[in-house]
Amino acid sequence: MDMLWNGWGDPARATALPDTVTGLLRELLGVKPCESAALPLAEVDVPESPLGEAARSALALAVGGRGEDVRTDAESRIRHTRGKSTPDLLRMRTGDTAGTPAAVVLPDSHDEVLAVLAACAEHRLALVPFGGGTSVVGGLAPGREGAFVALDLRRMNRLLDLDEVSRTATLQPGLRAPEAEALLAEHGYTLGHFPQSYEWATVGGFAATRSSGQASAGYGRFDEMVLGLTLATPEGTLDTGRAPRSAAGPDLRQLVLGSEGAFGVITSVTVRVRPVPPVRRYEGWRFASFDEGAAALRRLAQDGPRPTVLRLSDETETLIGLAQPDAIGASLEQQDTGCLAVVGFEGTEEDTVHRREGAAAVLRESGGTFAGDEPGERWAHGRYSAPYLRDSLLDAGALAETLETAAYWSRLPALYSAVREALTATLTEAGTPPLVMCHISHVYENGASLYFTVVSAQGEDAVAHWTRAKHAANEAILAAGGTITHHHAVGTDHRDWYVREAGPLGVEALRAVKRSLDPAGLLSPGVLLPAD
């Protein structure tokens, strides 16, 4: 099944907002109902593909002569236009097809990917890898003009190898996360990577963007799971990772991880896997303030015992109930105060009991109050629902978007305040005071991430309205010592701030890599680095 072309996920799972939330949007934020409905797919006007017959024939030959796997019809091209950021969706709802690929190509193997790259080089076509289409940072549209090919990797969806002695698995990049989990579960294993995009995102996308899952406290980020990668480039194949760790020079795996298609197309990923946990338990804890809760999370992250899932919503997010998207608005009726932490444990019965008891002692010593299993179980039940909620907010006429960052623990309070103030000031000055919510969703011994959700009225030009606010937040992040992105990646949206974060010498080093692997600059131009 394809994802909704102008929204998130499965259209059958869309739900209307409760009356309490609709009332809050109208009364507090001045949100007005949409003046017109989103344009139906059949009414979207797409210019004819600029792909010439010679290029089309070369691409068809590259994928084994399967002409049906070189698609230039309007619907295929629309479904591969942009990603799923709020600006992307707002544009798609109005029928804006700028950035539509000339063709969608579906290879079946590493060799076919190499052949497609060669055909694109011959015909001067840019190429953008396309996995689940879940990018929220402009990672799926080139940052320059000209025809390009969307390389849809869905046919490369196999489990290539499972080494049960070493507990490693080699997966193709087009495997969606649920498919990967199902294949591994047949043998009793799990990857343990469950980001909010889990239902639609792919293994290749996880690697290309340095994804981080909701159980990262226990399983680690995706880049920590990767032991080896194969990369197809216009100059040939790059294989990395022949041992779990090595002192043989700089780690080339780390060069490929997070490269976002700018250096090549990831065609296989070798990851470590773990036995499926027999016990999963999630629970809630309450703290009087965000600062108090953050201090408790820091203690667990630094001194343990570390839970598998560890999240903390600030006061506003707790009040709205965003930590439990399937019950949004319920906390308003109950007037819940303070901050909700969700704490989860996965593993054997003995291990989970031991860690849960130890964590509970730390949380109580840190001022936490046990809120029972219900908040944690509600979070687990609705953990992939927030993007659907965003669609409902857009339908209601609201602007709803997210952004994230990370910093060392000592810088986190100032970073939290700076981003909130930047978003609030920018949107309020534009006449649309926002609701700004935040949670800590990933913790480390030395720091943590901050994940912000912003809701306001759309204003006269919603895309321009959000762009101004996003730029202000980006400036605040860099000024406060945060990283421009923790797990959403760079894309085109963060590129100019990433350049400043990396510095001139760092950028030139990356450009040198790109010149070596992609001398014609055809791969994801303008994504990650400015196009030449």
Side-chain angles (χ1 to χ4, degrees), residues 44 67 73 140 143 168 184 230 247 268 295 306 317 342 349-350 431-432 442 482 507 513 519:
V44 177
D73 62 285
L140 298 179
T168 69
L184 292 171
T230 300
S268 71
R306 184 178 294 195
E317 186 169 288
V342 172
E349 181 70 33
E350 181 181 8
T432 57
H442 307 280
V507 169
V513 172

Side-chain angles (χ1 to χ4, degrees), residues 5-6 39-50 73-83 87-103 140-142 144-148:
W5 70 280
N6 63 354
L39 200 65
L41 177 60
E43 296 182 17
V44 177
D45 184 21
V46 184
E48 185 177 346
S49 170
D73 62 285
E75 181 172 339
S76 294
R77 292 166 59 214
I78 291 170
R79 290 187 178 279
H80 291 78
T81 300
R82 305 192 189 93
D88 288 339
L89 300 186
L90 289 168
R91 291 186 178 106
M92 296 304 291
R93 286 171 174 232
T94 63
D96 179 352
T97 56
T100 298
L140 298 179
R144 75 176 189 199
E145 298 294 325
F148 75 98

